[in-house]
Amino acid sequence: YYVNDKSKKQWVVGRGNIDLLTNTWIWADATPPVVSNTNSGFGVTDLVVDPKNENHLFLSLNGINLNNPGSTRVLENYFGGAQNMWIDISIGLSELPVNCMVYQEGTDDIVYAGCDDGVYYWNKQSTCWVKMNFNMPNCVVSRMTRLL
């Protein structure tokens, strides 16, 4: 659940859906097809909103699909206008679930993803995720907190 204090825009996220409640009290379904397809096995684990642009979202998914290398793990969207579609930005992530995400404020879209095999960060310049293991063992990351 996310609420923008300035516009009162609200994003409500469930395992199988994403809804937007605007300040005019209108609900809009914003669920990506990979999530709304009940046979996909993917559920929403986190929603991160760009602090500079409330219409810029990152969405993480769980589920394991070892038969489909390159499975969708993180989606990005710029809501509004003609760009109202989800884009798969999962390149570089493992086939394991993405459990949580954190947006680093004051940056040009640096996002961290906590996965079942460690932490990755989104490199916007090369449009891929980079694992931050630095020769450390894999571990499940189920929660992250942004430090000021």
Side-chain angles (χ1 to χ4, degrees):
Y1 183 75
Y2 168 82
V3 177
N4 183 302
D5 293 331
K6 295 176 185 171
S7 68
K8 303 300 182 209
K9 182 181 282 188
Q10 300 178 40
W11 294 99
V12 179
V13 178
R15 176 169 161 67
N17 69 303
I18 303 158
D19 294 312
L20 164 65
L21 179 62
T22 65
N23 56 357
T24 57
W25 297 101
I26 297 173
W27 283 101
D29 183 11
T31 308
V34 70
V35 175
S36 60
N37 178 356
T38 57
N39 296 324
S40 71
F42 294 104
V44 176
T45 55
D46 207 353
L47 173 74
V48 173
V49 180
D50 181 344
K52 300 179 305 283
N53 179 355
E54 68 179 10
N55 293 318
H56 184 202
L57 309 175
F58 294 87
L59 182 74
S60 62
L61 305 173
N62 65 4
I64 298 175
N65 190 349
L66 297 176
N67 297 323
N68 184 11
S71 295
T72 302
R73 294 285 172 240
V74 177
L75 299 167
E76 181 180 26
N77 196 332
Y78 289 89
F79 274 90
Q83 295 182 333
N84 193 9
M85 62 185 205
W86 292 98
I87 300 165
D88 184 358
I89 60 165
S90 303
I91 295 172
L93 291 171
S94 71
E95 300 304 316
L96 298 172
V98 176
N99 304 311
C100 55
M101 291 189 303
V102 173
Y103 189 103
Q104 185 176 342
E105 288 189 43
T107 66
D108 187 21
D109 296 341
I110 293 179
V111 179
Y112 299 94
C115 303
D116 277 9
D117 63 341
V119 176
Y120 293 76
Y121 74 91
W122 174 245
N123 184 332
K124 184 177 178 180
Q125 306 309 326
S126 60
T127 63
C128 69
W129 292 89
V130 178
K131 190 168 183 183
M132 299 180 61
N133 63 347
F134 304 113
N135 297 320
M136 296 177 65
N138 289 336
C139 66
V140 174
V141 178
S142 58
R143 187 174 183 162
M144 294 187 298
T145 302
R146 181 180 50 86
L147 300 175
L148 300 175

